Amino acid sequence: MGHPEVDRAVAAYTEQRPALETVTEEAIAALTALIDDAGINYLTVTGRTKSVPSFAAKAQQRMRALKGQALAADLLRGITDQVGARVVTYVRGDVLAVADLLHEDFTVLEDRDMGAETARAGQWGYASRHLLLSRDPVGPTGDLPAYDPTRCVSVQLRTVLQHAWAEFEHDIRYKGTVPPEQVPDLDRRFTLAAGLLELADSEFTAIRDRLQAGLSGGAVASDDADPRISAQELATFLAGRYASAGWSRTEHYEWIAQLLLELGVGSLDELSALLVDVDSASVTAAMGYKYPPGAVRRLDDDLLVAAGERYAALPTNERRRDALLARLEKVRG
């Protein structure tokens, strides 16, 4: 027989869940737009609204942990992943970049690096960055806002390899039946797999860095049928101009190539001539980023400085024109 306060909490959550589904959709759209605008590379941005059965199970867990001494309102406030999102990147450096970006744009109520906590314990295993974000500003006394499911989103940041390990481990442990006598060997094998994946993550980072360093001297064939600078050409050019910046998504290179075409720039020579007087390091410093902007964002800033209001007025920039003009004002001081 269930606890009456748990039942009340589940009933309240069931009633508000349709509204939270809208909050989830808005959170996914906001996160995707934010990361895209920053030019940070990623694989997926997904989300979900916690199911009623999952909420009920967690409410029962919390009630047991609190020895039956909790009200329904406490349970509702204590379950902070009612709206959840997950960002999967290719390498760990991009996880850090996304985390820094979220710290800049949201109020962070909680930030836990589960991989670092596991490593400090001298172990290998679950590795994911968990952030609880709020759209509410910090209070005048520096106090953080209270958790509000209509204003907050719980975000997991992982590399694709960390995601694969976590999903497989969850599927085996929680959806399958493991005979007790096999648990020690299973734990050992999961630990071994986690260590190997951590090594693979490091190697992926080394491969990307090596390729990016080599891009600046390479030649890439273009498509004569497409008047835009190709994504590969731009990646090569930007790797040389912004050696410290991370890669951006292929779609981002194609998007900025369209903007260049609207500016009348159809070759790397014309792009170089347009940017010749732009001090990119000074532009980035003036923007005051707390996160490391990706290569496409760096180019976006430099084009804004080089072409000014003309760049902001391009058709493809219609939806972000005000934001671009605000960035231009920041650089001009």
Side-chain angles (χ1 to χ4, degrees):
M1 185 174 180
H3 193 289
E5 291 299 324
V6 171
D7 294 341
R8 291 189 185 96
V10 172
Y13 180 73
T14 302
E15 183 177 353
Q16 72 179 9
R17 190 175 185 277
L20 293 183
E21 289 180 329
T22 300
V23 175
T24 302
E25 293 173 1
E26 293 172 349
I28 295 169
L31 289 169
T32 302
L34 183 66
I35 299 169
D36 280 343
D37 187 54
I40 299 172
N41 198 16
Y42 65 93
L43 177 63
T44 57
V45 179
T46 57
R48 63 96 184 100
T49 308
K50 200 170 193 66
S51 69
V52 173
S54 179
F55 178 89
K58 201 158 189 178
Q60 289 168 351
Q61 278 183 337
R62 287 189 59 80
M63 183 59 81
R64 286 194 295 269
L66 296 170
K67 303 185 186 306
Q69 302 301 309
L71 298 176
D74 298 325
L75 297 174
L76 283 165
R77 285 192 298 268
I79 299 174
T80 57
D81 62 344
Q82 296 175 32
V83 173
R86 180 179 293 142
V87 180
V88 178
T89 72
Y90 292 98
V91 295
R92 280 190 304 237
D94 291 328
V95 167
L96 299 176
V98 174
D100 289 345
L101 175 63
L102 297 181
H103 269 275
E104 180 170 277
D105 206 68
F106 291 85
T107 296
V108 179
L109 305 182
E110 183 178 320
D111 184 351
R112 293 186 65 188
D113 188 335
M114 309 302 290
E117 291 181 16
T118 302
R120 283 195 294 271
Q123 300 172 348
W124 283 284
Y126 181 76
S128 186
R129 186 88 172 259
H130 290 195
L131 295 93
L132 181 59
L133 310 176
S134 173
R135 278 294 186 186
D136 293 317
V138 175
T141 61
D143 294 332
L144 292 174
Y147 169 71
D148 177 353
T150 66
R151 300 286 298 164
C152 296
V153 56
S154 175
V155 181
Q156 294 179 349
L157 308 179
R158 300 172 177 170
T159 68
V160 64
L161 290 179
Q162 291 170 348
H163 180 61
W165 186 95
E167 289 296 290
F168 184 69
E169 195 263 358
H170 182 273
D171 190 65
I172 293 296
R173 289 191 189 276
Y174 298 101
K175 296 181 183 176
T177 300
V178 181
E181 66 274 11
Q182 294 185 20
V183 170
D185 183 61
L186 185 73
D187 289 342
R188 174 180 171 275
R189 290 179 183 275
F190 270 119
T191 299
L192 176 61
L196 291 172
L197 289 180
E198 185 173 321
L199 177 61
D201 255 337
S202 297
E203 288 303 308
F204 278 176
T205 298
I207 289 168
R208 187 191 68 168
D209 292 346
R210 178 73 63 86
L211 289 175
Q212 189 170 358
L215 273 177
S216 58
V220 179
S222 60
D223 182 359
D224 294 335
D226 190 338
R228 298 176 302 174
I229 303 172
S230 72
Q232 286 182 304
E233 287 179 296
L234 271 176
T236 299
F237 177 86
L238 299 186
R241 181 173 176 86
Y242 311 116
S244 62
W247 279 351
S248 298
R249 303 188 84 195
T250 300
E251 299 95 309
H252 295 165
Y253 292 107
E254 294 170 348
W255 166 78
I256 202 79
Q258 177 61 33
L259 285 169
L260 288 170
L261 188 63
E262 292 174 11
L263 268 178
V265 176
S267 71
L268 294 180
D269 287 342
E270 292 171 350
L271 178 56
S272 296
L274 178 63
L275 300 177
V276 67
D277 294 325
V278 177
D279 183 346
S280 184
S282 296
V283 171
T284 302
M287 290 297 181
Y289 295 119
K290 296 178 183 177
Y291 64 91
V296 168
R297 179 57 179 253
R298 295 281 303 273
L299 177 60
D300 190 39
D301 286 340
D302 286 357
L303 291 173
L304 180 61
V305 170
E309 286 80 1
R310 184 165 68 95
Y311 182 70
L314 295 176
T316 298
N317 281 331
E318 181 179 1
R319 292 185 178 181
R320 62 190 195 117
R321 190 161 298 148
D322 290 344
L324 285 171
L325 292 175
R327 281 161 57 189
L328 184 60
E329 184 66 24
K330 183 184 291 188
V331 174
R332 289 175 173 175

